[in-house]
Every structure is written in structure tokens, then in C-alpha cells.
Amino acid sequence: WALPADDVARDLESPEAGLGQPEVLRRRSLYGANLLVEQPSLGLWTLWARQFKSLLVVLLLVAAGVSLALEDVLDAVAIGVVVMVNAAIGFFTELRATRSMEGLRKLTTTFTRVRRAAETTRIPSGELVCGDRVVLEAGDLVPADLRIVLAHSLQADESVLTGESSPVQKRQEPVAADAVLADRLSMLYRGSRITAGGGEGVVCATGMSSELGRISHLVSEAADQATPLERKLDRLGYRLVCVTLGMTLILGVIGVLKGQPAMLMIQTCVALAVAAIPEGLPVVATIALSRGLWRMARENVVISRLSAVETLGATGVICADKTGTLTENRLTLSVAWPVGEQQALELMKKAGGGGRANGGLGDLLLTGLLCNNAAIHEEGGESVGDPLEVALLEGAVASGIELAGVLAEWERMDEVPFDAAARRMAVVHRRSDGECRVSAKGAAEAILPLCPELQPAERELWQECNEQLARRGLRVIALAGAMSRQAPADPFHGLIFFGLVGLIDPARPRVSDAVGECLSAGIRVTMITGDQPATAEAIARQIGIPAELVVTGGELAKMDIESSRARALLDRVDVVARATPEQKLRLVRRLQEAGHVVAMTGDGVNDAPALKQADIGIAMGQRGTDVAREASAMVLLDDAFPSIVVAVRQGRLIFNNIRMFVAYLISCNFSEILVVWFAMLLTGHLPILPLQILFLNLVTDVFPALALGVSPPQEDLMKQRPRPRGEPILRNRDWWRAGWHGMVIAVATLGAFLWAKHHLGFSEEEAVTTSFLTLALAQLLHVFNMAGPGMPYFRSGVVRNPWVWGAIALCLLLLFGCVAVPVFAEVLSLHQPGIEEILAICLFSLMPVACELVVRMLRSLARPVFGKDSRQPE
């Protein structure tokens, strides 16, 4: 920082044209990649050890220890097998999910523009080496420590290193050798971000040698933060533990008082405690999340924070940027209206007719060409720069202006970068004869007041022309300029108005369909744009947004959120025009204060605060800045609005599947507790033994639940209203349904036990086989009851899920093996059932399905009377 820029470049052997590929490879092999030390992947042994940390597994191990102490080796071995099988399932599924998440993180690699061998190219930031020439502009994250060699109004936010939130003005001149980091104005450090201007820097430190790398050595590894979904699952588990421990202790006392052996009751209580807590729940939730995230990745959606998955299903408002998200961000200069012309000129017709841009049209287009930072590549190469500036450049060239000649004639001297609040920019050029030319462009309301030669009536007339073009859905830009013998102190002083140009940005394919799907799903789409209200309204209607209420950012800023009128307006706003980044942030906050769950799209560095504030920040992957992506929970790799709808659909599906298999697990576990409770209170006998409970908890819980976690969407998934903010996994009605289903399964199991004992004349040991198989089959068939109450039973996503049928087939095979294989039958205290017993088992196990069908039939008969639509959330 204390050396001249040229000396630093010479010391690093960094030519102005950039390093050659052989030298890049040599330096990378010598110094390594430009990467910070990442948190190491979880090792296999670590993953395996994690399977034995839960309270549930500890309870099982305690039960095995008690069995060994009483020399009951068979029970101890059986419990040990259950523990190992459960651990193996958790290990392999968590291993797959962990590796999947590591793969997803690789999809969000940041890229950097670098000059190598006289060509500017875009490479992954990790491939930078010392001596590389990095080209930067507003919105970029600084990829390494750089010595600035060129700066144009360059500003950087270094708060990640210094804690100072105000941007710092950077320069290429050296500073004092003893300057602290915050005062090293000639340096850019890794992790900071460019907030304004542009420039170029030479890489002088990479990876762990950078300032950020040194700091990372001093920072201890942060503890993992639980996502909202994980916290909800934890709260659910703790509540179940408390309730279950109380119930099992009371049951143990009752059993001993009824004459049951104390050891048997201890084992039964431990088995019931374990059965009541769905230990497979975290595993199934992880698989559902991982599968959903990969589905989103295949649809060009990358989720960077798991908490976003839960929030997606509750999204009620999508604040979408018009340019690039709803439209193609492919502007074309379509109409020009120069001073002195009676009406607008259709530029494409003009160019097609071979006409040249003379007179007023020539001044207009020349100004657009000079007030420009875009570039047109020769030989059919892709144009580089802001789409609006590319359109102005291409329009000027198409009208006959020679680009190379103009740039050779006029040398750029100064620039006032575009300011989002002022909505204007200006560039100063000088000719060889000393003549200076100011070229300015911006919104009509920003440029017209700067032109003193216009009379008030003329300004009103041009404002009406502006409105006329805007009502056609065109983006309108005003152009002005001035000539002088010396560079002006204020480029915006005393401008001469040249006219207006209109640019068209067509809507993206399938956007109108996606907007329609959002509206049918109860999600309001609010379009946010910097365009004027007339343009914004015309485009909104083209893509299917009602545009019944259009407000400007200024009107939004004046609203009092506490007033009922303002809240009513916020619930109806379809379009926000002339919105600045600060007003986007205000809109998001006010919508959240009004109780909405808000998704926000953005691409620029100034969008980062709003993206971070939103419940779901959505950054653009193609044209978005690194800062915007860093602040977002979701990245659209194709920048397309329909991808947001795909993500919302997947978010709803993931949460619904989690809710479905949690309800299934809870109802099955309730049934196991209730059947033992009822039996002990009514008969004083156990209809199901501890090891049988553990076996059922492993077989009929885990495999069907895994299948439910990957169920296809219900037909009405995108026709329901958004989930309320903060809604728990199981609502009150879900708890009631789980309790009802558990009660029916318990009654069916106890009925089979009593039928076998009293009607068929079986002993208590033989009747236990009947109740065990009835409970197992009833729980397996109960999986079909998990379809939503408003869905057709036999056409639901559960019935259409092939994984459910596979899980049932596997569980039936395991049950058959337990009865048919003598060793397993002896361990589980089972005998081979006869024909009468099999018929009784089938009859009683069908009771839960029969009761559910009866309830659905009664509900369908009652709906015309009470008019309730069960498909809509309460």
C-alpha cells in the first residue's frame, strides 16, 4: 500500500496484459489455490458416533444393560440388534444427506473477471494467483487481497474486516507505510465488496495468506445453528418425552399392582418410552429435505440455507424485480423522439431503410453512445455491460454512427456514475482541439429540470411525450448534453435537451403462467421496478399481474404503517414504480410488519439489505452480483421467475411430507401406548411384549415414514392458501387426527387379542401373536390414511407413491420372516398362526382404513350443509 502501483506490479511480475497460462499454472502449483480452510467434512466415525447420542438410544442401552444384569442374554442381544440396525439406518441416510449438502454448496462457486494474456475472462475465484489482474465493478465481492492500479470513483464496504459500515473511497496512489488496515486506501481486501465505481487491481495475497485468511486462524469453529424446522422437531420430541415418561411410569406402577413381574414392567415401560418417541424422525426429515433440495437444484434453484425450505411453503407475497426476472433483460432500442421532430421515429424502420442519424436524431444517439460503459465485441461476440447501455450502443451503431471513429475522436475525461436516488449519470469527453462535451442520461423527471433552455410549457409537453411512450410499455430514457471549452465543475449544470428514447424488454416465456399459478395459490406477486408508473402498469398487465393499485417508491415512503388505511393498501399493492433500493427495504419491512411472509428478488449490490431482510432473499445467478447472492437464501441459476414458483411448490411439498410422516409416526406410537394402557387397565395382561414393541417401532415406523417423506404432491398443493407464519408442524387438528387414528388402531389390536383369547380359546402367549400381527398390519395399512382429508382416498399422492408400496412389501416380508423362521419367532415369542387366526388378523387390521373411509363419507355428506372446504387450511 505504500509503494507506487507500477512498482507493485513490477515486483509481482504482473504485465498489464495479464499473466500467461503457463505462468498461472506454475504459481498455482507453488502457492496453492485461492481458498480459505473450510470446515472439514464429517468423518465416517463421527457420523457413526452421532447415532448413539440421543436420549432414545440411551434408554435402549439401559434396557439391554438391565437384561444382562438379570442374565437375560437373549433379550439383551435382541435389544442390541435393534440399536445397531437403527444406528445403521441413521448412519447411511445421514451420510447421503451430508454429502448431498456438500455437493450443493459447490454449486454456489463465485466467479471473478480477470485479464490474462490480453483477454478479459471470467474464472472461479479459487483459481486466482498472485500477479493476476482483476477487473472489478459495483456489486463484486473482492476475491483476494489486491493492490489497486486503476480506480474510477471506486468505493468499497470493508465492514467485514473493520466493522465500519460506511463505504470507503479507494484510490491508486500509495499511502503511508504505517497506515492501519482501515486507512489503506490503495488496497482492496478479500471479503469486502465494491459498492460504487469500478477499477482494476493486482492480486498480492491469496487464500490463507490474505488478511481474511489470517483472521480465520484466530476464529474458533462456530457451533452449528439449528434451523427453525429442526427446532420445531426438537420441541415436539421433548414434549413427547415428558408426556411419555409420565404415562409409562404410571403404567409400570399399575402393572406391578396387577401382579405383573417388576422386570417385565420395567422392560415394557422402557420399550413404550422408546416407541412413543419417533427416533426415525430426524433421519426421515433429513432425507426429505435433501431430496427436495436436489430437485430444486435440477430446476435451476440453489438453496443456501435450510431454513429457507420451511419458509418457502409459507410465502404469501413475492416482491419481484421486473428486469431480468419477469422480463428477459434484453433491451432493444425501439423508438426515438428527438427535439425538433413532430413524432417519434421507429428506429428499426429507420435503420432498415438505410437512413443515417443526422440532425436532432444524431445528437440524441451520439449522446447515448458516449454516456455509456458498455462494449460491443467484434466478430459476433457477446456485448458486455448494462443491458440498457448495450441497447443504446447497438441502436446508435445500427443507425449508421461509426463507433470506432467516435471513440477515437472523443477521449473520456471524467464520469459521474449512475446514482439510483438521483436517477441520472453523466460522462465528460474531450476532443483533440480542446472542446469538451458533456453527455447525460436518466429518467425524464431527473433530466428535464436540468435543461434551462426549456420553457415550462415545453417541459410539460415533453413529460406528456414521456407518458405516451411509457403507456406502450417502453422504458423511457431522457438524453441531454452540453459543449464547452473546458471541463465543467458540475456536469449537470446548463444542459441542452436532445430528446427521449424508448426501449422494449419482452416478458420471459412462461412468466404469465407462473404468475397465474401464484395467484391461484394465494400468493400475491408485487412487481418492483425503477420504471415510471405508466410503463410499469403496462408491463404488469402484459404478464398477468392485475395492476389494480400502482404506487411509487416515494408514496410508499410516506405511508404510515400504523394506520389501517396504509395496511389495507399494502394488502393490495400490485406494482411499485420508481423504487429505489432503500424503498425496497422499506416495502419488505412494512409487509412483514403487516404479517406477510415475504420473498424478495434482487441482483444488485444495493438490493442486498432488502434481500437479507426478506423472509426469503432470492438472488439472480446469471446477472446477480456476488454481494446479492451472499445476502440471499436462494439463488436462481437461470434468473427466471417460473423457477421461483417451482421452489415454492417444492417448499410446500417438503413441509407437507414432513407433516405427513410426523403425523403417521405419532399416531402409530400413540396406538402402541394406548393398547398397553387399555389392556393393563381392563385385563391386567400385556397384549404385546417389549421386544415386539421395539421391532414394530423399527419396521412399521421407519420404512413407511421414509416412503411418505418422498411422496408426490397432492393435486391441490398450489391451490391452498399459504401456511401462516410460525405454524407448528402438527396443528391442533393434526393432533386430534393422530389421537383418533391411534385410538382406532389400539381398539382393533385389543379386540384381536380378546377375540383370540376368549373366542378362539388361545392361551395368553398365543393370543399375543394375534395382537402383534394385527397391530403391525394395522399400522402398515394406516399409511394410506395420511392423504389430506379433502383428497380422494384412492387417488391421493400416498396411493400413487411407489415407495409406499415397496415399503409395505418389505415390511410384510420381514413380518413373515419373524413368524416363519424359528430363531426369530423364538426371540419375539411368536407362533405360526392358523387359518382362523389369519382371518381374524386381517379383519381387525382393516378397521383403521374402514373407519377413515366412513369418516370421509360423512364429511362429504356434511360439506354441502355446512359449506366447509376441507382443502383450505384452518
Side-chain angles (χ1 to χ4, degrees):
W1 55 88
L3 297 175
D6 292 341
D7 291 353
V8 174
R10 185 171 55 253
D11 292 344
L12 291 172
E13 299 179 6
S14 175
E16 189 172 347
L19 302 175
Q21 190 62 21
E23 181 63 16
V24 169
L25 296 176
R26 186 187 73 82
R27 296 189 184 194
R28 189 177 301 133
S29 65
L30 189 62
Y31 299 109
N34 178 35
L35 299 173
L36 297 178
V37 174
E38 297 180 349
Q39 182 176 351
S41 301
L42 290 175
L44 299 181
W45 285 111
T46 303
L47 276 179
W48 178 253
R50 282 171 55 160
Q51 310 309 315
F52 299 91
K53 286 185 176 180
S54 71
L55 173 63
L56 311 169
V57 174
V58 171
L59 287 173
L60 281 173
L61 294 176
V62 168
V66 172
S67 298
L68 280 176
L70 298 177
E71 298 183 351
D72 192 350
V73 179
L74 188 60
D75 281 358
V77 171
I79 294 175
V81 170
V82 170
V83 170
M84 297 305 291
V85 171
N86 186 65
I89 292 174
F91 170 77
F92 286 110
T93 52
E94 193 170 348
L95 175 65
R96 180 181 177 185
T98 301
R99 298 300 181 255
S100 296
M101 288 306 301
E102 291 170 359
L104 281 173
R105 283 195 290 270
K106 295 178 182 177
L107 293 177
T108 57
T109 301
T110 60
F111 288 83
T112 299
R113 286 184 299 158
V114 62
R115 184 181 299 116
R116 286 180 177 171
E119 290 188 3
T120 301
T121 184
R122 194 164 175 262
I123 65 170
S125 300
E127 296 181 6
L128 285 174
V129 297
C130 284
D132 263 329
R133 296 253 176 171
V134 176
V135 181
L136 296 164
E137 63 181 17
D140 289 345
L141 280 175
V142 179
D145 289 358
L146 310 175
R147 174 60 167 91
I148 300 171
V149 296
L150 188 64
H152 294 297
S153 305
L154 185 62
Q155 292 183 1
D157 177 1
E158 296 182 332
S159 57
V160 68
L161 294 171
T162 65
E164 177 57 52
S165 58
S166 300
V168 181
Q169 190 74 39
K170 293 293 184 176
R171 67 191 192 198
Q172 62 192 62
E173 292 76 22
V175 297
D178 59 351
V180 297
L181 188 145
D183 295 333
R184 298 171 190 171
L185 304 183
S186 59
M187 294 290 297
L188 288 169
Y189 290 101
R190 178 176 184 146
S192 58
R193 57 188 175 95
I194 307 301
T195 57
E200 187 174 313
V202 175
V203 177
C204 54
T206 61
M208 297 304 293
S209 298
S210 66
E211 199 68 32
L212 191 63
R214 294 191 186 98
I215 293 174
S216 68
H217 279 303
L218 307 176
V219 181
S220 59
E221 200 172 279
D224 291 337
Q225 296 294 320
T227 67
L229 182 60
E230 290 171 334
R231 289 195 291 270
K232 287 182 180 180
L233 293 175
D234 288 342
R235 285 197 296 269
L236 178 65
Y238 285 128
R239 289 173 185 169
L240 287 173
V241 166
C242 295
V243 172
T244 302
L245 288 178
M247 292 182 66
T248 52
L249 287 175
I250 296 173
L251 180 64
V253 173
I254 294 175
V256 172
L257 294 178
K258 290 273 189 176
Q260 293 290 341
M263 185 59 207
L264 178 62
M265 291 312 304
I266 291 174
Q267 290 177 330
T268 302
C269 289
V270 171
L272 278 178
V274 174
I277 313 299
E279 70 272 9
L281 193 151
V283 172
V284 181
T286 302
I287 291 177
L289 288 170
S290 177
R291 181 181 172 90
L293 291 178
W294 273 108
R295 280 179 174 173
M296 292 186 199
R298 288 199 300 268
E299 297 289 343
N300 296 310
V301 176
V302 175
I303 301 293
S304 58
R305 291 199 290 271
L306 274 179
S307 58
V309 176
E310 179 191 2
T311 313
L312 275 169
T315 300
V317 179
I318 299 177
C319 296
D321 262 348
K322 174 189 75 74
T323 305
T325 307
L326 298 173
T327 61
E328 292 186 356
N329 195 27
R330 183 175 51 80
L331 288 168
T332 300
L333 183 56
S334 176
V335 175
W337 202 324
V339 171
E341 297 288 343
Q342 296 300 315
Q343 58 184 5
L345 300 174
E346 300 289 343
L347 284 189
M348 299 309 293
K349 295 179 182 178
K350 182 77 175 179
R356 296 186 59 80
N358 298 317
L361 181 60
D363 282 334
L364 185 68
L365 298 182
L366 180 60
T367 301
L369 186 152
L370 291 174
C371 189
N372 206 304
N373 289 313
I376 299 179
H377 285 189
E378 297 181 357
E379 299 179 0
E382 183 181 358
S383 299
V384 177
D386 182 274
L388 182 145
E389 295 189 334
V390 169
L392 290 174
L393 207 59
E394 292 176 342
V397 171
S399 68
I401 295 178
E402 186 181 352
L403 177 61
V406 171
L407 296 180
E409 179 183 3
W410 294 99
E411 178 187 1
R412 178 180 286 224
M413 302 299 297
D414 193 16
E415 175 186 348
V416 180
F418 178 79
D419 184 275
R423 309 194 63 77
R424 66 192 185 196
M425 72 171 288
V427 179
V428 180
H429 288 82
R430 176 177 290 164
R431 203 162 47 189
S432 57
D433 61 2
E435 190 81 9
C436 291
R437 179 186 179 104
V438 175
S439 303
K441 73 172 185 286
E445 59 266 32
I447 296 297
L448 286 172
L450 304 176
C451 304
E453 92 282 3
L454 293 177
Q455 298 300 316
E458 291 179 299
R459 287 198 183 96
E460 291 182 10
L461 180 61
W462 280 109
Q463 189 60 48
E464 175 58 32
C465 297
N466 170 60
E467 292 284 339
Q468 184 177 332
L469 294 178
R471 283 192 290 269
R472 294 171 55 181
L474 298 175
R475 184 172 182 181
V476 187
I477 301 296
L479 297 162
M483 300 289 289
S484 62
R485 294 302 302 172
Q486 59 183 7
D490 179 9
F492 294 110
H493 178 72
L495 295 177
I496 298 174
F497 185 66
F498 291 146
L500 305 173
V501 293
L503 305 100
I504 189 168
D505 184 8
R508 278 183 174 270
R510 301 186 295 113
V511 160
S512 57
D513 294 338
V515 170
E517 190 171 2
C518 285
L519 296 178
S520 67
I523 302 172
R524 179 156 51 88
V525 179
T526 299
M527 187 180 83
I528 302 177
T529 177
D531 290 337
Q532 54 190 304
T535 303
E537 181 178 353
I539 294 174
R541 293 189 185 280
Q542 289 173 14
I543 61 177
I545 297 176
E548 295 176 357
L549 180 59
V550 180
V551 300
T552 64
E555 293 169 344
L556 179 69
K558 297 175 184 176
M559 285 186 185
D560 179 13
I561 189 62
E562 299 301 327
S563 69
S564 58
R565 181 176 178 275
R567 289 179 179 269
L569 284 175
L570 284 174
D571 286 335
R572 295 172 40 236
V573 170
D574 296 313
V575 178
V576 180
R578 288 295 190 235
T580 65
E582 293 78 11
Q583 289 160 353
K584 289 181 182 180
L585 176 61
R586 184 187 296 268
L587 172 65
V588 171
R589 284 177 175 167
R590 292 191 168 181
L591 286 170
Q592 290 173 326
E593 290 168 3
H596 298 286
V597 178
V598 183
M600 174 81 192
T601 72
D603 59 356
V605 58
N606 290 329
D607 292 331
L611 291 171
K612 198 168 184 104
Q613 176 69 35
D615 298 282
I616 298 282
I618 305 172
M620 303 298 108
Q622 294 180 352
R623 61 185 174 87
T625 60
D626 294 335
V627 174
R629 287 192 289 267
E630 192 80 8
S632 300
M634 195 167 101
V635 178
L636 302 182
L637 299 181
D638 58 358
D639 291 10
F641 182 82
S643 297
I644 301 177
V645 180
V646 170
V648 171
R649 187 186 300 112
Q650 284 295 324
R652 288 188 174 191
L653 175 61
I654 290 171
F655 191 86
N656 286 358
N657 284 349
I658 290 176
R659 170 174 284 167
M660 188 162 52
F661 71 65
V662 169
Y664 173 75
L665 292 173
I666 296 299
S667 56
C668 287
N669 295 344
F670 275 178
S671 69
E672 294 165 5
I673 294 176
L674 292 175
V675 72
V676 176
W677 257 88
F678 290 161
M680 291 301 300
L681 291 174
L682 296 176
T683 68
H685 299 291
L686 286 177
I688 184 169
L689 302 178
L691 281 181
Q692 295 173 351
I693 294 174
L694 296 175
F695 178 83
L696 289 179
N697 202 40
L698 176 66
V699 174
T700 60
D701 276 10
V702 174
F703 294 114
L706 284 172
L708 286 174
V710 293
S711 291
Q714 301 283 9
E715 294 177 0
D716 68 341
L717 181 65
M718 292 300 286
K719 295 180 182 178
Q720 300 176 1
R721 293 192 298 270
R723 209 168 16 88
R725 180 193 292 270
E727 184 178 79
I729 294 177
L730 293 187
R731 301 154 294 186
N732 289 336
R733 62 179 180 184
D734 297 319
W735 283 106
W736 281 109
R737 285 193 74 209
W740 158 252
H741 287 143
M743 177 80 71
V744 173
I745 295 173
V747 169
T749 303
L750 188 59
F753 176 76
L754 296 176
W755 179 272
K757 186 175 181 182
H758 297 292
H759 182 75
L760 299 180
F762 288 172
S763 65
E764 182 176 330
E765 291 75 13
E766 292 173 328
V768 165
T769 298
T770 305
S771 56
F772 166 75
L773 293 177
T774 301
L775 179 58
L777 287 177
Q779 289 182 344
L780 288 178
L781 294 175
H782 172 55
V783 73
F784 297 112
N785 293 338
M786 291 299 100
M791 290 291 97
Y793 191 87
F794 296 104
R795 292 192 291 111
S796 67
V798 178
V799 176
R800 292 185 288 110
N801 185 356
W803 294 101
V804 166
W805 294 99
I808 291 176
L810 176 61
C811 292
L812 290 175
L813 183 63
L814 292 173
L815 286 173
F816 176 78
C818 290
V819 175
V821 179
V823 175
F824 295 153
E826 183 179 354
V827 170
L828 293 174
S829 302
L830 301 175
H831 75 275
Q832 293 189 11
I835 297 299
E836 287 186 326
E837 192 173 356
I838 292 174
L839 291 176
I841 291 169
C842 293
L843 178 64
F844 282 99
S845 63
L846 285 172
M847 279 185 59
V849 173
C851 288
E852 176 69 12
L853 289 174
V854 170
V855 169
R856 285 172 179 263
M857 182 181 66
L858 294 175
R859 185 184 292 117
S860 65
L861 293 174
R863 189 176 297 127
V865 178
F866 298 102
K868 181 172 179 60
D869 185 358
S870 62
R871 295 181 302 174
Q872 298 296 339
E874 293 177 354

